[in-house]
Amino acid sequence: MNGYDLLVVGSANADLVIGVERRPGPGETVLGSDLAVHPGGKGANQAVAAARLGARTALLARVGADDHGRLLLESQRAAGVDTVGVLVGDAPTGVALITVDPSGDNSIVVSPGANARLTPEDVRAAGSLFHASRVVSAQLEIPLETVVEVVRNLPPDRRFVLNPSPPRPLPGEVLAACDPLIVNEHEARVVLGDACVSGEPEDWARILLAKGPRSVVVTLGAAGALVASSAGVVRVPSVSVDAVDTTGAGDAFTAALAWRLGTGSDLVRAAAYAARVGAAAVTRPGAQASYPTAAEVDALDGGRRGDAAEGTR
């Protein structure tokens, strides 16, 4: 029997956030708010989001032997994530320096730190985690060569979910393993490159599918998502909520979808559930702090609307 519903392979960052009246120009100094430090990183976010929903979750990542690394480990453990795969040392913990203006616009500089040291050798050494997990999820805040090694080390009956963020062109070997490839509008355009000849999300989904993934999900924010597979393209609605902060909502969506696939849901129903999770996440500020429990998701809109999906096109 598998020990984990989901293994997340990815990044763990400390988010250092300062509010400013306006962002500084070249050579300029501005005063800001008190510094706030939050656990973040797309891999760590996904692991926490899945565990909050009740998934048996493990994280394969790297952090530094520093205060930020301890913060991230504590956040994972508090959510119920198994951190046996989190490697400590070799470099400082990754850090995101974020300034936020009164309109909510932000500027971000990321120092990858230990994330850049998560190597193919680390993946090979974690073979037991892959064999113990139903689904494996990854992102691109770690080296691409490491993601390639993840694909090469997947047991034949395991499902691979990839959110290519930050986006970049992907090798065919990785694309062929994705089931699904999950992209937002910006990520879809980058992955498509010169093949992005249409402004219609349905066309993006079809063209992306033709590039090799077994399935594709295009997230559309408040409009829900599109699911593309050999059966066609299905539009999945979201739930109407009053959004407070969209930070980390995409990570919550990906985690929820990956978990539900591991429990046996088909892709359309998994995406419908993930849309509800993403909607619940935007009703509270922050990333990991905003992630809902399964009970909170079920209570959202009576747990009904997200189970519906429009027909194939």
Side-chain angles (χ1 to χ4, degrees), residues 29-41:
T29 299
V30 300
L31 293 177
S33 66
D34 290 342
L35 176 69
V37 182
H38 305 290

Side-chain angles (χ1 to χ4, degrees), residues 133-145:
S133 304
R134 295 178 183 272
V135 179
V136 177
S137 174
Q139 327 78 40
L140 298 183
E141 288 184 337
I142 56 176
L144 182 57
E145 63 182 6

Side-chain angles (χ1 to χ4, degrees), residues 32 47 50 113 121 165 181 188 203 279 283 285 290 311:
E121 289 75 18
S165 179
L181 176 74
D203 292 334
T283 63
S290 73

Side-chain angles (χ1 to χ4, degrees), residues 79-225:
V81 177
D82 191 334
T83 59
V84 65
V86 180
L87 306 168
V88 179
D90 290 345
T93 301
V95 171
L97 306 174
I98 306 171
T99 59
V100 184
D101 69 18
S103 71
D105 287 338
N106 57 36
S107 295
I108 304 174
V109 177
V110 175
S111 173
N115 294 311
R117 273 73 166 185
L118 189 66
T119 66
E121 289 75 18
D122 295 330
V123 170
R124 289 192 289 271
S128 60
L129 287 177
F130 287 85
H131 284 277
S133 304
R134 295 178 183 272
V135 179
V136 177
S137 174
Q139 327 78 40
L140 298 183
E141 288 184 337
I142 56 176
L144 182 57
E145 63 182 6
T146 303
V147 177
V148 171
E149 194 65 23
V150 168
V151 168
R152 292 174 178 172
N153 282 267
L154 284 173
D157 58 344
R158 301 304 189 266
R159 196 157 186 164
F160 179 62
V161 176
L162 177 67
N163 171 221
S165 179
R168 70 191 81 170
L170 296 170
E173 181 179 6
V174 172
L175 284 169
C178 295
D179 192 16
L181 176 74
I182 302 177
V183 293
N184 61 21
E185 176 179 348
H186 172 65
E187 293 154 2
R189 291 180 182 275
V190 173
V191 175
L192 284 171
D194 293 340
C196 188
V197 295
S198 169
E200 295 298 322
E202 285 83 359
D203 292 334
W204 303 340
R206 292 187 182 97
I207 298 169
L208 282 168
L209 190 64
K211 293 176 79 69
R214 300 176 191 180
S215 59
V216 171
V217 174
V218 180
T219 60
L220 302 172

Side-chain angles (χ1 to χ4, degrees), residues 235-253:
R235 184 176 285 267
V236 176
S238 187
V239 178
S240 179
V241 296
D242 293 324
V244 172
D245 184 355
T246 61
T247 303
D251 297 329
F253 179 99

